[in-house]
Amino acid sequence: MKARNIGRNTNFIGNIVFTAIMILGISMIPSLLMAIRYKDMTSVFTMLIISSLSIIIGFIGSRYLTDDITYIRLDVCYIATSLTWILMIALSVLPFYFSGNGYSLIDSIFEACSGWSTTAASAIKMNTLPPCLQLWKCTCNWMGGIGIIVLSVTFLKSWQFTAQTLVFTEVPGPLFMKSTMTFRASYRRILLIYSLLTILQFILLCLFGLPPFHALKTALSVASTSGLQHFDLATVLAFSPAIKIIITIFTFFASINFAIFVLAISRKGERLIKATEFRYLISSLFVVSGIICFIRMASEPVKNIEKLILDSFMQVVSFSSTSGYIITDASNWNVLAVTILVLTSIVGASAFSTGGGIKIARFICAMKSIKYGIYKSIHPHSVKNQKYNGYPVSNNLILKALIYVYLFFITLVFGSFMLSLAGLSLGDSLDFSVAMLTNTGTPAGKLAGDFLYSGYNGFSKFIMSILMIAGRLEIYPVLIIFSLGFHKTEKKI
Amino acid sequence: MIRRALNFFGIFLIFIGAMMIFPMIPALIYREFSCVKAFLLAIFIAEAIGISLKVAGKLNNDEEKMQPRERFLLVAISWILASIIAAIPFVLTSTIPNPIDAFFEMCSGFSTTGASIIPDVEKLPRSLLMWRSITQWLGGMGVIVLVMAIIPGFGARAMNIASAETPGPTVSKLGARFSDTAKQLYFAYIILTFLEVIFLLFGGLNLYDAILHSLSTMATGGFSCYSDSIAHFNSYYVYWVITFFTILAGMNFNLFFVGIREGIGKMFKDDELKFYIKYLALATAIITAVLMIKNYYSSFGKALTEGAFQVVTIVSTTGFSTADFDLWPSVCKMVIIILMLTGACSSSTAGGMKLVRVLTTLKIIKREVRLKTHDRAVYNIKYNGRKVSSETLTYIIIFMAFFIFTLLASTLVISVDGHSFVTNFTASLSCLSNVGPGLADVGPTQNFGIYSNFSTMVLALTMIAGRLELTTFFIIFSRHFWNPDRA
């Protein structure tokens, strides 16, 4: 089929979008098979149609539109990313809505957003979903974790296009960290690592006694730092220590900067040691766990100290990676411990990982900015450049990290305001806003576990869905969508 | 350096001591003789220490120029000293027997916060309550600015110290000498206070009430002599008078002079003022609408009055109340939290982040969004028609970070007491922005007495940090401060 040239930008956007649709179609096949196995005829029908249509249309569309591209403008990339994500979510809503179980549209939207944003919050109790939909949600988690754009560009035909600009509109992380990823080969490497980690976890979980279906769901959800929504809290608490440890270890892996893996493989050990973010993550995990242990020992009756330490550590790993699952009985934790836990989730995981939050790299830069600010107050006429990971970085870039922190905070406050408008209590508004924006899924006040968002009205679920996506895409793309609608490009600031 | 500092502290304490003469007037009128004795003793202590410090640190004009870092330390210590000395009458009369609580109350005074640990205000002697409001009035324009205005001789150095006290993007010079500028600002301050007293007298208040509440209003402090605050007066006239003067107190005082010299039209061209008015209108509209929809008040007039009053009093960080807004719908409480965060205009007596910074940061974010789509473009941020330098932008961004960081740190630290998150968060926010009441257990009908001594200290320091716009306070913790030659 001869590739046509409609218009360069439209071509490009279309190419990405259609490739993504095709990938979505392919990824629906396992869920389809699951539906067939459980003889869930309505879902078989729905998924068959969506899947086959997506694959066919996606394949034809992406071949029809040439991808002979070398450079694409940044705003076109943003449009491509935003459009793709909207389509992915829209398509993911359909299996829920048309499953024949009477799920409302807003609940289906909530589930789809929760899946793709790796939040793993539930409006419908996941255990009650048909198995095919459970697998589908976990598949969405897995794809949302690595990012559909990253997935799509690995299939682009043109090798001249490094897709750097495009990928960076989706990949979480501050601007100056982008230099670690330069070629398309890197994206494939990272995808490979991601897949291998998932498979490895699946095998280990099966070996240690988890039934295969549960192991699959867990592997998909943990690798994307989503959570363990497919289990009851009671089930999780009853896991053997081995299973809990496996989950914790792989959660930790998922929250590390993927560049670390690439460095480790290519044996660039010295750069690994200098990796600021990695060192911060490790030390903060221990320090925060230590503090929480201390608080718990002071406020709770201690029966088993080893269990206390281990449980606290695992819970901290869960929140610092923004997975948000409950792995210990945290219902009677002191408010100080809970606040610390929530703050760790706001700081978030590393850049270039599947986690959410502000990202550790930005947090470190924000702290450096503060030190720089103090220094400037004392020596107003000095010029001092900051370093990150041993490389000099302009003060301007460091400030961008701070601006993002502030943007995050504003979005939190605004999100709380909208939720309170939707009728939630003050405490809940603040709580849920944080949980959604950091893609954790578990609000601070509901650490008793098994929390469902079913009891809240449609408007609040809608707001929460937007917050989830904003958190995953790091707010700017969502803002851009809104601003494109309202402003002309030449409007004065 | 130490000599200069001692000299400065000396003058400062002498001044504070002298100010304690004023509350003795109501003490004598209301025959509170134990208070008279306490004040006399406090004045004696202040003057004794003050004079000895001044003698010890005789000013020598040949000494080198004051380092920037010395300014910060001087200001921070002065505030703490002032709060300690001012607390003495309370401790001596056993009205607040716990010195830490008394220190908190005075920090709350000088920082114009208005948070109180006193459960039943009406039981206190009237002279002490007047002294509370006087500390707020003094703290309002910055005690140091006051000293500069009345006691000239520090020259250019005065400007340096005072800029540590009220930093921010706009410090316009009104007079040729800094003490002239300070005098003019105080002139405006005094006139407005006086006007409010007159208006309140017309509303039926007695002289004591009128003076006390006017002092608290213009300082955007919020101390009242009644436990139900302004609700005690139960008069729409009084509510609206106070609302009006609170709006003025939250405005940039420099603009008053712009208005007098160049006309009211010019005054209203200020970006910050325009934002302030729109912001007030929007917040009031939202709260009034929600209160009406949820039937909290029977009439529109009542809802509007209550809504407007609370919006104005919170955004200006005054903290009076006419209603228990902790009982309001959560939307209204969310709006109140946002109002507490932003504060009012710069160069006013209000606290919070200050609207000029909020406005600039919003413009910065808008620019970032634009840059994402047009990364080769250059966008300048303009304020009042003039380009804002990137250095100023840096300071503003860093201030915001400090603010959020301090807020979260304070919330975290006082969590040890075990109160709910909303309580801790709004307590910290209220102190940092110098508002006064919070929500939940520190709501408008409650008090801060629920916190342990440790948390009370933390909150007191948070108040000072907030009043001194954070950088001043935190600079002390930097190694570069103590060793300026460090790279």
Side-chain angles (χ1 to χ4, degrees), chain A residues 266-453:
Chain A
S266 41
R267 272 168 273 191
K268 293 209 176 91
E270 336 79 58
R271 278 177 73 181
L272 197 71
I273 297 171
K274 274 206 215 154
T276 323
E277 230 184 353
F278 187 59
R279 278 175 20 217
Y280 176 90
L281 176 63
I282 306 261
S283 47
S284 85
L285 280 179
F286 282 110
V287 168
V288 172
S289 307
I291 295 176
I292 289 189
C293 286
F294 187 68
I295 296 171
R296 285 184 71 192
M297 283 195 270
S299 60
E300 289 171 33
V302 180
K303 281 174 237 149
N304 185 342
I305 264 226
E306 290 135 4
K307 186 173 192 309
L308 185 111
I309 296 177
L310 204 60
D311 280 349
S312 307
F313 184 75
M314 291 195 291
Q315 194 58 59
V316 169
V317 171
S318 160
F319 267 76
S320 96
S321 63
T322 73
S323 303
Y325 55 79
I326 316 262
I327 202 160
T328 174
D329 183 13
S331 51
N332 55 354
W333 278 25
N334 189 298
V335 66
L336 180 58
V338 173
T339 313
I340 293 178
L341 207 59
V342 171
L343 285 177
T344 10
S345 76
I346 291 180
V347 169
S350 312
F352 281 176
S353 71
T354 59
I358 292 176
K359 305 302 179 320
I360 294 178
R362 277 206 195 88
F363 180 70
I364 295 175
C365 288
M367 292 295 121
K368 280 186 198 275
S369 284
I370 293 177
K371 268 171 54 180
Y372 170 63
I374 294 184
Y375 183 77
K376 263 237 151 181
S377 298
I378 298 173
H379 301 281
H381 303 293
S382 71
V383 172
K384 187 182 187 199
N385 258 338
Q386 301 290 331
K387 286 200 185 152
Y388 186 82
N389 266 355
Y391 297 104
V393 113
S394 90
N395 290 318
N396 220 14
L397 279 180
I398 301 224
L399 284 176
K400 280 192 199 275
L402 253 192
I403 294 174
Y404 182 80
V405 170
Y406 193 53
L407 181 63
F408 193 87
F409 195 63
I410 293 180
T411 314
L412 262 182
V413 172
F414 185 66
S416 313
F417 172 70
M418 294 304 286
L419 286 176
S420 69
L421 206 58
L424 270 65
S425 76
L426 185 64
D428 277 352
S429 308
L430 292 166
D431 247 347
F432 290 11
S433 189
V434 171
M436 295 298 133
L437 199 60
T438 56
N439 298 143
T440 313
T442 313
K446 317 286 179 195
L447 289 183
D450 283 341
F451 182 66
L452 275 184
Y453 289 87

Side-chain angles (χ1 to χ4, degrees), chain B residues 213-284:
Chain B
H213 288 96
S214 299
L215 292 175
S216 298
T217 310
M218 286 317 295
T220 64
F223 273 146
S224 170
C225 51
Y226 299 108
S227 354
D228 44 353
S229 187
I230 304 298
H232 177 91
F233 301 113
N234 205 11
S235 146
Y236 279 19
Y237 172 78
V238 171
Y239 294 174
W240 282 102
V241 163
I242 295 184
T243 305
F244 176 69
F245 279 95
T246 313
I247 295 179
L248 290 182
M251 278 172 57
N252 186 334
F253 273 45
N254 296 311
L255 285 178
F256 293 136
F257 293 95
V258 169
I260 291 173
R261 280 199 214 127
E262 299 173 46
I264 299 274
K266 193 78 199 296
M267 184 170 95
F268 279 101
K269 282 219 178 104
D270 183 52
D271 280 348
E272 194 183 27
L273 185 61
K274 288 193 285 194
F275 187 63
Y276 181 49
I277 294 174
K278 285 187 225 168
Y279 186 48
L280 284 177
L282 182 65
T284 310

Side-chain angles (χ1 to χ4, degrees), chain B residues 39-350:
Chain B
F39 276 118
L40 279 173
L41 195 52
I43 294 175
F44 178 72
I45 296 175
E47 300 300 331
I49 301 179
I51 293 175
S52 15
L53 284 178
K54 186 159 174 32
V55 166
K58 264 220 286 261
L59 186 62
N60 188 343
N61 277 323
D62 295 335
E63 283 174 31
E64 75 233 30
K65 214 161 69 117
M66 195 180 302
Q67 303 272 0
R69 56 191 225 281
E70 293 170 7
R71 302 194 318 244
F72 296 117
L73 200 55
L74 277 185
V75 170
I77 294 182
S78 309
W79 278 84
I80 296 179
L81 264 182
S83 306
I84 294 176
I85 296 292
I88 293 177
F90 285 94
V91 179
L92 287 178
T93 53
S94 297
T95 19
I96 306 179
N98 182 346
I100 294 188
D101 282 348
F103 176 69
F104 175 89
E105 199 79 8
M106 287 298 99
C107 279
S108 183
F110 282 113
S111 63
T112 74
T113 301
S116 177
I117 45 87
I118 299 172
D120 196 354
V121 162
E122 289 168 40
K123 290 213 182 95
L124 259 65
R126 301 189 134 203
S127 52
L128 284 175
L129 291 174
M130 182 61 84
W131 175 230
R132 274 199 332 171
S133 295
I134 293 175
T135 56
Q136 288 202 315
W137 196 77
L138 292 174
M141 241 342 162
V143 184
I144 292 173
V145 177
L146 178 66
V147 170
M148 294 306 123
I150 294 184
I151 306 167
F154 280 82
R157 296 183 194 131
M159 179 88 152
N160 283 332
I161 296 181
S163 75
E165 248 254 338
T166 44
T170 47
V171 180
S172 45
K173 265 174 57 170
L174 297 170
R177 284 174 15 176
F178 182 70
S179 53
D180 288 342
T181 310
K183 278 186 193 152
Q184 297 211 22
L185 290 173
Y186 258 101
F187 186 65
Y189 197 45
I190 293 171
I191 293 282
L192 286 172
T193 315
F194 183 69
L195 277 175
E196 189 182 350
V197 173
I198 304 283
F199 274 93
L200 285 178
L201 285 173
F202 272 120
L205 269 64
N206 61 49
L207 187 61
Y208 175 81
D209 282 347
I211 294 180
L212 189 142
H213 288 96
S214 299
L215 292 175
S216 298
T217 310
M218 286 317 295
T220 64
F223 273 146
S224 170
C225 51
Y226 299 108
S227 354
D228 44 353
S229 187
I230 304 298
H232 177 91
F233 301 113
N234 205 11
S235 146
Y236 279 19
Y237 172 78
V238 171
Y239 294 174
W240 282 102
V241 163
I242 295 184
T243 305
F244 176 69
F245 279 95
T246 313
I247 295 179
L248 290 182
M251 278 172 57
N252 186 334
F253 273 45
N254 296 311
L255 285 178
F256 293 136
F257 293 95
V258 169
I260 291 173
R261 280 199 214 127
E262 299 173 46
I264 299 274
K266 193 78 199 296
M267 184 170 95
F268 279 101
K269 282 219 178 104
D270 183 52
D271 280 348
E272 194 183 27
L273 185 61
K274 288 193 285 194
F275 187 63
Y276 181 49
I277 294 174
K278 285 187 225 168
Y279 186 48
L280 284 177
L282 182 65
T284 310
I286 294 177
I287 288 188
T288 311
V290 175
L291 287 176
M292 287 297 295
I293 292 172
K294 302 234 171 175
N295 283 317
Y296 270 70
Y297 294 106
S298 42
S299 77
F300 173 71
K302 189 129 174 65
L304 181 64
T305 308
E306 301 285 1
F309 187 90
Q310 287 313 139
V311 164
V312 167
T313 187
I314 298 276
V315 86
S316 63
T317 73
T318 306
F320 281 135
S321 60
T322 55
D324 186 1
F325 51 79
D326 196 38
L327 300 173
W328 284 2
S330 54
V331 194
C332 302
K333 290 199 270 193
M334 214 40 235
V335 172
I336 286 175
I337 288 182
I338 295 175
L339 293 171
M340 282 192 202
L341 280 167
T342 60
C345 301
S346 57
S347 296
S348 73
T349 56

